[in-house]
Amino acid sequence: MRRVAVLCLTLMLTACSGGSPDPAPPSEGPKAGSHCADAADRGKRVGFATPAGTHLAGVELGTGSKGVVLAHQNGSNLCEWLPFGQRLAALGYRVLAFDFGGDGDSGPHQGDDRLDDDVAAAATHLRASGVADVVLMGASKGAAASLAAAVTLTPKPVAVVSLSAPAVFGGVSAEDAVPRLASPVLFLAAENDHPFADAAQQFDAAAPKAVPHQVFIAIGAEHGTGLLAGGQGTKVTELIEAFLKQHAPA
């Protein structure tokens, strides 16, 4: 009789609660690289945070003591970099492509965090995982953020690659950072991609003379990572790889 009474009480409580079992715990949310799961599956999904608490999602590729941070352009996510990231990994680099705060699978920016804080956090994550030397490489807003982060990081990046960086984006000023660079830098843009081609040439002119720097203006109008697949994509890729081999050999 006691078992029957307990069973009846359980049924009554279930009925009062709507007849459904306890709700499942909330999901962990989308995994890093959820917009390109097949490509992301070839790497290692990681999460890390800025000192202010912005939670960032990334995908690591490759191994080695030389690392490359890949920062995406506006309206995009880490997926745009994964094909080139695979190429760099095959050359012996440990690569981290990540989503900026508020983009892709990363959380919103916290506190006073800016785009360059995200790049710095990505570099810090690579170093914490065993990378000795870090290269910053970005496209468009990611390039502006990489240039700005390069002058604040300690130790400094061993090289910076900028694809179609604007002078200013989201409160981050690449034009203010370039004259203070202490790292070798490669500026890339397409001749008909305005105002980014002009910005690349102005950056090259403003870079410190004591710091190795070069600029290449490609034929066409491709922007950001589009330079890697445009009409002169092979030339752009060769320039980047030669620059890395010179200043950050794997």
PDB file of all heavy atoms in Angstrom, residues 70-71 73 81 84 136-144 146-147 160-166 186-190 193 196 200 222-229 236-237 240:
ATOM      1  N   LEU A  70      45.383  33.952 -37.178  1.00  0.00           N
ATOM      2  CA  LEU A  70      44.646  34.378 -38.372  1.00  0.00           C
ATOM      3  C   LEU A  70      43.367  35.085 -37.938  1.00  0.00           C
ATOM      4  O   LEU A  70      42.495  34.476 -37.316  1.00  0.00           O
ATOM      5  CB  LEU A  70      44.321  33.175 -39.250  1.00  0.00           C
ATOM      6  CG  LEU A  70      45.534  32.401 -39.800  1.00  0.00           C
ATOM      7  CD1 LEU A  70      45.070  31.175 -40.585  1.00  0.00           C
ATOM      8  CD2 LEU A  70      46.393  33.295 -40.681  1.00  0.00           C
ATOM      9  N   ALA A  71      43.264  36.375 -38.274  1.00  0.00           N
ATOM     10  CA  ALA A  71      42.130  37.208 -37.858  1.00  0.00           C
ATOM     11  C   ALA A  71      41.265  37.550 -39.070  1.00  0.00           C
ATOM     12  O   ALA A  71      41.774  38.089 -40.061  1.00  0.00           O
ATOM     13  CB  ALA A  71      42.645  38.480 -37.178  1.00  0.00           C
ATOM     14  N   GLN A  73      37.984  38.985 -41.558  1.00  0.00           N
ATOM     15  CA  GLN A  73      37.480  40.290 -41.960  1.00  0.00           C
ATOM     16  C   GLN A  73      36.040  40.508 -41.499  1.00  0.00           C
ATOM     17  O   GLN A  73      35.420  39.620 -40.912  1.00  0.00           O
ATOM     18  CB  GLN A  73      37.601  40.468 -43.471  1.00  0.00           C
ATOM     19  CG  GLN A  73      36.875  39.456 -44.321  1.00  0.00           C
ATOM     20  CD  GLN A  73      37.461  39.395 -45.730  1.00  0.00           C
ATOM     21  OE1 GLN A  73      38.660  39.194 -45.944  1.00  0.00           O
ATOM     22  NE2 GLN A  73      36.609  39.588 -46.723  1.00  0.00           N
ATOM     23  N   TRP A  81      39.554  31.552 -43.177  1.00  0.00           N
ATOM     24  CA  TRP A  81      40.990  31.364 -43.097  1.00  0.00           C
ATOM     25  C   TRP A  81      41.405  29.888 -43.116  1.00  0.00           C
ATOM     26  O   TRP A  81      42.596  29.588 -43.285  1.00  0.00           O
ATOM     27  CB  TRP A  81      41.535  31.996 -41.829  1.00  0.00           C
ATOM     28  CG  TRP A  81      41.912  33.444 -41.934  1.00  0.00           C
ATOM     29  CD1 TRP A  81      41.363  34.494 -41.249  1.00  0.00           C
ATOM     30  CD2 TRP A  81      42.966  34.013 -42.729  1.00  0.00           C
ATOM     31  NE1 TRP A  81      41.991  35.668 -41.574  1.00  0.00           N
ATOM     32  CE2 TRP A  81      42.971  35.404 -42.474  1.00  0.00           C
ATOM     33  CE3 TRP A  81      43.893  33.482 -43.631  1.00  0.00           C
ATOM     34  CZ2 TRP A  81      43.889  36.275 -43.099  1.00  0.00           C
ATOM     35  CZ3 TRP A  81      44.798  34.339 -44.250  1.00  0.00           C
ATOM     36  CH2 TRP A  81      44.790  35.708 -43.989  1.00  0.00           C
ATOM     37  N   PHE A  84      43.676  28.367 -46.038  1.00  0.00           N
ATOM     38  CA  PHE A  84      45.055  28.850 -45.996  1.00  0.00           C
ATOM     39  C   PHE A  84      45.737  28.381 -44.716  1.00  0.00           C
ATOM     40  O   PHE A  84      46.944  28.113 -44.718  1.00  0.00           O
ATOM     41  CB  PHE A  84      45.087  30.374 -46.078  1.00  0.00           C
ATOM     42  CG  PHE A  84      46.464  30.933 -46.320  1.00  0.00           C
ATOM     43  CD1 PHE A  84      47.112  30.718 -47.521  1.00  0.00           C
ATOM     44  CD2 PHE A  84      47.115  31.678 -45.344  1.00  0.00           C
ATOM     45  CE1 PHE A  84      48.398  31.223 -47.759  1.00  0.00           C
ATOM     46  CE2 PHE A  84      48.389  32.190 -45.558  1.00  0.00           C
ATOM     47  CZ  PHE A  84      49.030  31.961 -46.776  1.00  0.00           C
ATOM     48  N   LEU A 136      51.303  37.563 -36.565  1.00  0.00           N
ATOM     49  CA  LEU A 136      49.926  38.044 -36.652  1.00  0.00           C
ATOM     50  C   LEU A 136      49.579  38.271 -38.113  1.00  0.00           C
ATOM     51  O   LEU A 136      50.298  38.985 -38.821  1.00  0.00           O
ATOM     52  CB  LEU A 136      49.763  39.355 -35.868  1.00  0.00           C
ATOM     53  CG  LEU A 136      50.167  39.342 -34.397  1.00  0.00           C
ATOM     54  CD1 LEU A 136      49.893  40.711 -33.770  1.00  0.00           C
ATOM     55  CD2 LEU A 136      49.427  38.249 -33.632  1.00  0.00           C
ATOM     56  N   MET A 137      48.483  37.682 -38.560  1.00  0.00           N
ATOM     57  CA  MET A 137      48.043  37.836 -39.945  1.00  0.00           C
ATOM     58  C   MET A 137      46.546  38.108 -39.948  1.00  0.00           C
ATOM     59  O   MET A 137      45.777  37.370 -39.325  1.00  0.00           O
ATOM     60  CB  MET A 137      48.352  36.567 -40.757  1.00  0.00           C
ATOM     61  CG  MET A 137      48.135  36.720 -42.260  1.00  0.00           C
ATOM     62  SD  MET A 137      48.534  35.200 -43.214  1.00  0.00           S
ATOM     63  CE  MET A 137      50.183  34.804 -42.634  1.00  0.00           C
ATOM     64  N   GLY A 138      46.137  39.168 -40.625  1.00  0.00           N
ATOM     65  CA  GLY A 138      44.723  39.513 -40.611  1.00  0.00           C
ATOM     66  C   GLY A 138      44.236  40.032 -41.948  1.00  0.00           C
ATOM     67  O   GLY A 138      45.021  40.501 -42.781  1.00  0.00           O
ATOM     68  N   ALA A 139      42.924  39.952 -42.136  1.00  0.00           N
ATOM     69  CA  ALA A 139      42.274  40.444 -43.346  1.00  0.00           C
ATOM     70  C   ALA A 139      41.326  41.574 -42.969  1.00  0.00           C
ATOM     71  O   ALA A 139      40.499  41.422 -42.065  1.00  0.00           O
ATOM     72  CB  ALA A 139      41.498  39.322 -44.032  1.00  0.00           C
ATOM     73  N   SER A 140      41.449  42.715 -43.638  1.00  0.00           N
ATOM     74  CA  SER A 140      40.567  43.864 -43.454  1.00  0.00           C
ATOM     75  C   SER A 140      40.520  44.289 -41.986  1.00  0.00           C
ATOM     76  O   SER A 140      41.527  44.681 -41.430  1.00  0.00           O
ATOM     77  CB  SER A 140      39.182  43.544 -44.012  1.00  0.00           C
ATOM     78  OG  SER A 140      38.401  44.709 -44.134  1.00  0.00           O
ATOM     79  N   LYS A 141      39.364  44.182 -41.309  1.00  0.00           N
ATOM     80  CA  LYS A 141      39.335  44.593 -39.904  1.00  0.00           C
ATOM     81  C   LYS A 141      40.306  43.769 -39.082  1.00  0.00           C
ATOM     82  O   LYS A 141      40.906  44.258 -38.114  1.00  0.00           O
ATOM     83  CB  LYS A 141      37.922  44.505 -39.333  1.00  0.00           C
ATOM     84  CG  LYS A 141      37.456  43.140 -38.862  1.00  0.00           C
ATOM     85  CD  LYS A 141      36.138  43.239 -38.109  1.00  0.00           C
ATOM     86  CE  LYS A 141      35.681  41.885 -37.573  1.00  0.00           C
ATOM     87  NZ  LYS A 141      34.375  41.968 -36.856  1.00  0.00           N
ATOM     88  N   GLY A 142      40.489  42.503 -39.462  1.00  0.00           N
ATOM     89  CA  GLY A 142      41.451  41.652 -38.774  1.00  0.00           C
ATOM     90  C   GLY A 142      42.877  42.115 -38.978  1.00  0.00           C
ATOM     91  O   GLY A 142      43.732  41.931 -38.109  1.00  0.00           O
ATOM     92  N   ALA A 143      43.151  42.738 -40.135  1.00  0.00           N
ATOM     93  CA  ALA A 143      44.478  43.285 -40.393  1.00  0.00           C
ATOM     94  C   ALA A 143      44.715  44.526 -39.546  1.00  0.00           C
ATOM     95  O   ALA A 143      45.790  44.710 -38.970  1.00  0.00           O
ATOM     96  CB  ALA A 143      44.630  43.602 -41.874  1.00  0.00           C
ATOM     97  N   ALA A 144      43.709  45.399 -39.471  1.00  0.00           N
ATOM     98  CA  ALA A 144      43.831  46.592 -38.631  1.00  0.00           C
ATOM     99  C   ALA A 144      44.050  46.192 -37.182  1.00  0.00           C
ATOM    100  O   ALA A 144      44.901  46.764 -36.480  1.00  0.00           O
ATOM    101  CB  ALA A 144      42.575  47.457 -38.757  1.00  0.00           C
ATOM    102  N   SER A 146      45.345  43.391 -36.092  1.00  0.00           N
ATOM    103  CA  SER A 146      46.659  42.763 -35.958  1.00  0.00           C
ATOM    104  C   SER A 146      47.763  43.812 -35.892  1.00  0.00           C
ATOM    105  O   SER A 146      48.701  43.687 -35.097  1.00  0.00           O
ATOM    106  CB  SER A 146      46.903  41.817 -37.139  1.00  0.00           C
ATOM    107  OG  SER A 146      45.968  40.749 -37.124  1.00  0.00           O
ATOM    108  N   LEU A 147      47.660  44.859 -36.715  1.00  0.00           N
ATOM    109  CA  LEU A 147      48.653  45.926 -36.683  1.00  0.00           C
ATOM    110  C   LEU A 147      48.630  46.640 -35.329  1.00  0.00           C
ATOM    111  O   LEU A 147      49.676  46.952 -34.757  1.00  0.00           O
ATOM    112  CB  LEU A 147      48.396  46.914 -37.816  1.00  0.00           C
ATOM    113  CG  LEU A 147      48.677  46.391 -39.230  1.00  0.00           C
ATOM    114  CD1 LEU A 147      48.094  47.326 -40.279  1.00  0.00           C
ATOM    115  CD2 LEU A 147      50.177  46.217 -39.453  1.00  0.00           C
ATOM    116  N   VAL A 160      54.270  40.469 -39.070  1.00  0.00           N
ATOM    117  CA  VAL A 160      52.861  40.836 -39.242  1.00  0.00           C
ATOM    118  C   VAL A 160      52.551  40.840 -40.736  1.00  0.00           C
ATOM    119  O   VAL A 160      53.342  41.356 -41.536  1.00  0.00           O
ATOM    120  CB  VAL A 160      52.558  42.226 -38.654  1.00  0.00           C
ATOM    121  CG1 VAL A 160      51.061  42.540 -38.779  1.00  0.00           C
ATOM    122  CG2 VAL A 160      53.002  42.320 -37.201  1.00  0.00           C
ATOM    123  N   VAL A 161      51.415  40.261 -41.098  1.00  0.00           N
ATOM    124  CA  VAL A 161      50.961  40.274 -42.494  1.00  0.00           C
ATOM    125  C   VAL A 161      49.581  40.918 -42.532  1.00  0.00           C
ATOM    126  O   VAL A 161      48.656  40.461 -41.850  1.00  0.00           O
ATOM    127  CB  VAL A 161      50.900  38.857 -43.096  1.00  0.00           C
ATOM    128  CG1 VAL A 161      50.417  38.918 -44.543  1.00  0.00           C
ATOM    129  CG2 VAL A 161      52.265  38.180 -43.019  1.00  0.00           C
ATOM    130  N   SER A 162      49.451  41.973 -43.339  1.00  0.00           N
ATOM    131  CA  SER A 162      48.206  42.746 -43.426  1.00  0.00           C
ATOM    132  C   SER A 162      47.611  42.628 -44.823  1.00  0.00           C
ATOM    133  O   SER A 162      48.227  43.037 -45.808  1.00  0.00           O
ATOM    134  CB  SER A 162      48.500  44.212 -43.106  1.00  0.00           C
ATOM    135  OG  SER A 162      47.436  45.051 -43.510  1.00  0.00           O
ATOM    136  N   LEU A 163      46.402  42.077 -44.912  1.00  0.00           N
ATOM    137  CA  LEU A 163      45.675  41.987 -46.178  1.00  0.00           C
ATOM    138  C   LEU A 163      44.511  42.978 -46.145  1.00  0.00           C
ATOM    139  O   LEU A 163      43.561  42.808 -45.384  1.00  0.00           O
ATOM    140  CB  LEU A 163      45.135  40.571 -46.412  1.00  0.00           C
ATOM    141  CG  LEU A 163      46.130  39.456 -46.743  1.00  0.00           C
ATOM    142  CD1 LEU A 163      46.854  38.976 -45.493  1.00  0.00           C
ATOM    143  CD2 LEU A 163      45.411  38.263 -47.399  1.00  0.00           C
ATOM    144  N   SER A 164      44.625  44.055 -46.916  1.00  0.00           N
ATOM    145  CA  SER A 164      43.545  45.040 -47.078  1.00  0.00           C
ATOM    146  C   SER A 164      43.152  45.724 -45.779  1.00  0.00           C
ATOM    147  O   SER A 164      41.965  45.907 -45.487  1.00  0.00           O
ATOM    148  CB  SER A 164      42.302  44.378 -47.696  1.00  0.00           C
ATOM    149  OG  SER A 164      42.609  43.636 -48.838  1.00  0.00           O
ATOM    150  N   ALA A 165      44.129  46.140 -44.994  1.00  0.00           N
ATOM    151  CA  ALA A 165      43.806  46.819 -43.730  1.00  0.00           C
ATOM    152  C   ALA A 165      43.259  48.220 -43.994  1.00  0.00           C
ATOM    153  O   ALA A 165      43.810  48.962 -44.808  1.00  0.00           O
ATOM    154  CB  ALA A 165      45.049  46.927 -42.858  1.00  0.00           C
ATOM    155  N   PRO A 166      42.181  48.601 -43.301  1.00  0.00           N
ATOM    156  CA  PRO A 166      41.729  49.993 -43.334  1.00  0.00           C
ATOM    157  C   PRO A 166      42.557  50.820 -42.374  1.00  0.00           C
ATOM    158  O   PRO A 166      43.223  50.279 -41.479  1.00  0.00           O
ATOM    159  CB  PRO A 166      40.281  49.894 -42.861  1.00  0.00           C
ATOM    160  CG  PRO A 166      40.299  48.725 -41.917  1.00  0.00           C
ATOM    161  CD  PRO A 166      41.306  47.755 -42.475  1.00  0.00           C
ATOM    162  N   LEU A 186      54.367  42.932 -43.818  1.00  0.00           N
ATOM    163  CA  LEU A 186      54.034  42.839 -45.240  1.00  0.00           C
ATOM    164  C   LEU A 186      52.635  43.393 -45.439  1.00  0.00           C
ATOM    165  O   LEU A 186      51.674  42.907 -44.834  1.00  0.00           O
ATOM    166  CB  LEU A 186      54.099  41.377 -45.698  1.00  0.00           C
ATOM    167  CG  LEU A 186      53.586  41.061 -47.113  1.00  0.00           C
ATOM    168  CD1 LEU A 186      54.410  41.794 -48.171  1.00  0.00           C
ATOM    169  CD2 LEU A 186      53.613  39.546 -47.356  1.00  0.00           C
ATOM    170  N   PHE A 187      52.510  44.426 -46.277  1.00  0.00           N
ATOM    171  CA  PHE A 187      51.224  45.038 -46.585  1.00  0.00           C
ATOM    172  C   PHE A 187      50.761  44.572 -47.964  1.00  0.00           C
ATOM    173  O   PHE A 187      51.501  44.687 -48.941  1.00  0.00           O
ATOM    174  CB  PHE A 187      51.328  46.567 -46.584  1.00  0.00           C
ATOM    175  CG  PHE A 187      51.797  47.164 -45.288  1.00  0.00           C
ATOM    176  CD1 PHE A 187      53.076  47.686 -45.174  1.00  0.00           C
ATOM    177  CD2 PHE A 187      50.954  47.199 -44.188  1.00  0.00           C
ATOM    178  CE1 PHE A 187      53.509  48.242 -43.987  1.00  0.00           C
ATOM    179  CE2 PHE A 187      51.389  47.755 -42.978  1.00  0.00           C
ATOM    180  CZ  PHE A 187      52.668  48.279 -42.880  1.00  0.00           C
ATOM    181  N   LEU A 188      49.521  44.067 -48.030  1.00  0.00           N
ATOM    182  CA  LEU A 188      48.956  43.571 -49.283  1.00  0.00           C
ATOM    183  C   LEU A 188      47.594  44.205 -49.532  1.00  0.00           C
ATOM    184  O   LEU A 188      46.813  44.406 -48.596  1.00  0.00           O
ATOM    185  CB  LEU A 188      48.795  42.046 -49.227  1.00  0.00           C
ATOM    186  CG  LEU A 188      50.075  41.235 -48.992  1.00  0.00           C
ATOM    187  CD1 LEU A 188      49.716  39.835 -48.507  1.00  0.00           C
ATOM    188  CD2 LEU A 188      50.896  41.164 -50.259  1.00  0.00           C
ATOM    189  N   ALA A 189      47.303  44.515 -50.783  1.00  0.00           N
ATOM    190  CA  ALA A 189      45.992  45.042 -51.169  1.00  0.00           C
ATOM    191  C   ALA A 189      45.865  44.923 -52.682  1.00  0.00           C
ATOM    192  O   ALA A 189      46.851  44.637 -53.376  1.00  0.00           O
ATOM    193  CB  ALA A 189      45.826  46.495 -50.718  1.00  0.00           C
ATOM    194  N   ALA A 190      44.654  45.138 -53.199  1.00  0.00           N
ATOM    195  CA  ALA A 190      44.409  45.115 -54.643  1.00  0.00           C
ATOM    196  C   ALA A 190      44.226  46.544 -55.147  1.00  0.00           C
ATOM    197  O   ALA A 190      43.641  47.383 -54.459  1.00  0.00           O
ATOM    198  CB  ALA A 190      43.179  44.272 -54.972  1.00  0.00           C
ATOM    199  N   ASP A 193      40.749  48.107 -55.103  1.00  0.00           N
ATOM    200  CA  ASP A 193      40.015  47.962 -53.845  1.00  0.00           C
ATOM    201  C   ASP A 193      40.260  49.220 -53.018  1.00  0.00           C
ATOM    202  O   ASP A 193      41.210  49.301 -52.244  1.00  0.00           O
ATOM    203  CB  ASP A 193      40.494  46.712 -53.102  1.00  0.00           C
ATOM    204  CG  ASP A 193      39.710  46.446 -51.819  1.00  0.00           C
ATOM    205  OD1 ASP A 193      38.543  46.883 -51.738  1.00  0.00           O
ATOM    206  OD2 ASP A 193      40.268  45.799 -50.912  1.00  0.00           O
ATOM    207  N   PHE A 196      41.644  50.803 -49.705  1.00  0.00           N
ATOM    208  CA  PHE A 196      42.599  49.915 -49.054  1.00  0.00           C
ATOM    209  C   PHE A 196      43.955  49.873 -49.758  1.00  0.00           C
ATOM    210  O   PHE A 196      44.987  49.700 -49.105  1.00  0.00           O
ATOM    211  CB  PHE A 196      41.993  48.522 -48.922  1.00  0.00           C
ATOM    212  CG  PHE A 196      40.657  48.548 -48.223  1.00  0.00           C
ATOM    213  CD1 PHE A 196      39.479  48.550 -48.953  1.00  0.00           C
ATOM    214  CD2 PHE A 196      40.585  48.614 -46.844  1.00  0.00           C
ATOM    215  CE1 PHE A 196      38.243  48.610 -48.315  1.00  0.00           C
ATOM    216  CE2 PHE A 196      39.363  48.662 -46.197  1.00  0.00           C
ATOM    217  CZ  PHE A 196      38.189  48.665 -46.934  1.00  0.00           C
ATOM    218  N   ALA A 200      47.457  50.789 -47.890  1.00  0.00           N
ATOM    219  CA  ALA A 200      48.623  49.906 -47.851  1.00  0.00           C
ATOM    220  C   ALA A 200      49.897  50.667 -48.212  1.00  0.00           C
ATOM    221  O   ALA A 200      50.944  50.502 -47.574  1.00  0.00           O
ATOM    222  CB  ALA A 200      48.426  48.729 -48.791  1.00  0.00           C
ATOM    223  N   GLU A 222      40.156  42.398 -55.449  1.00  0.00           N
ATOM    224  CA  GLU A 222      39.860  41.460 -54.369  1.00  0.00           C
ATOM    225  C   GLU A 222      40.177  42.096 -53.015  1.00  0.00           C
ATOM    226  O   GLU A 222      41.067  42.932 -52.892  1.00  0.00           O
ATOM    227  CB  GLU A 222      40.687  40.174 -54.529  1.00  0.00           C
ATOM    228  CG  GLU A 222      40.252  39.281 -55.663  1.00  0.00           C
ATOM    229  CD  GLU A 222      40.776  39.740 -57.016  1.00  0.00           C
ATOM    230  OE1 GLU A 222      41.635  40.653 -57.043  1.00  0.00           O
ATOM    231  OE2 GLU A 222      40.324  39.196 -58.042  1.00  0.00           O
ATOM    232  N   HIS A 223      39.415  41.683 -52.014  1.00  0.00           N
ATOM    233  CA  HIS A 223      39.552  42.265 -50.685  1.00  0.00           C
ATOM    234  C   HIS A 223      39.861  41.188 -49.656  1.00  0.00           C
ATOM    235  O   HIS A 223      39.287  40.098 -49.670  1.00  0.00           O
ATOM    236  CB  HIS A 223      38.245  42.974 -50.297  1.00  0.00           C
ATOM    237  CG  HIS A 223      38.318  43.692 -48.980  1.00  0.00           C
ATOM    238  ND1 HIS A 223      39.042  44.851 -48.796  1.00  0.00           N
ATOM    239  CD2 HIS A 223      37.755  43.404 -47.770  1.00  0.00           C
ATOM    240  CE1 HIS A 223      38.921  45.261 -47.550  1.00  0.00           C
ATOM    241  NE2 HIS A 223      38.152  44.395 -46.902  1.00  0.00           N
ATOM    242  N   GLY A 224      40.767  41.505 -48.735  1.00  0.00           N
ATOM    243  CA  GLY A 224      41.056  40.592 -47.638  1.00  0.00           C
ATOM    244  C   GLY A 224      41.535  39.229 -48.110  1.00  0.00           C
ATOM    245  O   GLY A 224      42.414  39.120 -48.968  1.00  0.00           O
ATOM    246  N   THR A 225      40.943  38.169 -47.572  1.00  0.00           N
ATOM    247  CA  THR A 225      41.356  36.822 -47.954  1.00  0.00           C
ATOM    248  C   THR A 225      41.049  36.525 -49.416  1.00  0.00           C
ATOM    249  O   THR A 225      41.567  35.552 -49.963  1.00  0.00           O
ATOM    250  CB  THR A 225      40.674  35.766 -47.060  1.00  0.00           C
ATOM    251  OG1 THR A 225      39.270  36.004 -47.029  1.00  0.00           O
ATOM    252  CG2 THR A 225      41.216  35.823 -45.638  1.00  0.00           C
ATOM    253  N   GLY A 226      40.229  37.370 -50.056  1.00  0.00           N
ATOM    254  CA  GLY A 226      39.988  37.218 -51.487  1.00  0.00           C
ATOM    255  C   GLY A 226      41.261  37.362 -52.299  1.00  0.00           C
ATOM    256  O   GLY A 226      41.356  36.842 -53.420  1.00  0.00           O
ATOM    257  N   LEU A 227      42.256  38.057 -51.741  1.00  0.00           N
ATOM    258  CA  LEU A 227      43.538  38.205 -52.429  1.00  0.00           C
ATOM    259  C   LEU A 227      44.227  36.859 -52.636  1.00  0.00           C
ATOM    260  O   LEU A 227      45.008  36.684 -53.575  1.00  0.00           O
ATOM    261  CB  LEU A 227      44.458  39.122 -51.625  1.00  0.00           C
ATOM    262  CG  LEU A 227      44.105  40.612 -51.600  1.00  0.00           C
ATOM    263  CD1 LEU A 227      44.861  41.307 -50.472  1.00  0.00           C
ATOM    264  CD2 LEU A 227      44.427  41.249 -52.940  1.00  0.00           C
ATOM    265  N   LEU A 228      43.944  35.899 -51.766  1.00  0.00           N
ATOM    266  CA  LEU A 228      44.585  34.590 -51.849  1.00  0.00           C
ATOM    267  C   LEU A 228      44.022  33.737 -52.978  1.00  0.00           C
ATOM    268  O   LEU A 228      44.659  32.768 -53.403  1.00  0.00           O
ATOM    269  CB  LEU A 228      44.416  33.841 -50.524  1.00  0.00           C
ATOM    270  CG  LEU A 228      45.051  34.504 -49.297  1.00  0.00           C
ATOM    271  CD1 LEU A 228      44.548  33.843 -48.023  1.00  0.00           C
ATOM    272  CD2 LEU A 228      46.563  34.437 -49.389  1.00  0.00           C
ATOM    273  N   ALA A 229      42.827  34.099 -53.454  1.00  0.00           N
ATOM    274  CA  ALA A 229      42.172  33.299 -54.484  1.00  0.00           C
ATOM    275  C   ALA A 229      41.912  34.096 -55.756  1.00  0.00           C
ATOM    276  O   ALA A 229      41.327  33.574 -56.700  1.00  0.00           O
ATOM    277  CB  ALA A 229      40.844  32.746 -53.947  1.00  0.00           C
ATOM    278  N   VAL A 236      50.367  36.257 -54.453  1.00  0.00           N
ATOM    279  CA  VAL A 236      50.162  36.708 -53.074  1.00  0.00           C
ATOM    280  C   VAL A 236      50.571  35.609 -52.099  1.00  0.00           C
ATOM    281  O   VAL A 236      51.265  35.870 -51.099  1.00  0.00           O
ATOM    282  CB  VAL A 236      48.694  37.122 -52.850  1.00  0.00           C
ATOM    283  CG1 VAL A 236      48.407  37.351 -51.367  1.00  0.00           C
ATOM    284  CG2 VAL A 236      48.372  38.385 -53.647  1.00  0.00           C
ATOM    285  N   THR A 237      50.161  34.394 -52.381  1.00  0.00           N
ATOM    286  CA  THR A 237      50.518  33.266 -51.515  1.00  0.00           C
ATOM    287  C   THR A 237      52.029  33.079 -51.450  1.00  0.00           C
ATOM    288  O   THR A 237      52.599  32.872 -50.366  1.00  0.00           O
ATOM    289  CB  THR A 237      49.851  31.977 -52.023  1.00  0.00           C
ATOM    290  OG1 THR A 237      48.422  32.130 -51.964  1.00  0.00           O
ATOM    291  CG2 THR A 237      50.250  30.781 -51.175  1.00  0.00           C
ATOM    292  N   ILE A 240      53.618  35.788 -49.253  1.00  0.00           N
ATOM    293  CA  ILE A 240      53.415  35.541 -47.819  1.00  0.00           C
ATOM    294  C   ILE A 240      54.341  34.441 -47.331  1.00  0.00           C
ATOM    295  O   ILE A 240      55.003  34.571 -46.287  1.00  0.00           O
ATOM    296  CB  ILE A 240      51.948  35.195 -47.527  1.00  0.00           C
ATOM    297  CG1 ILE A 240      51.041  36.401 -47.804  1.00  0.00           C
ATOM    298  CG2 ILE A 240      51.782  34.728 -46.076  1.00  0.00           C
ATOM    299  CD1 ILE A 240      49.561  36.103 -47.675  1.00  0.00           C
TER     300      ILE A 240
END
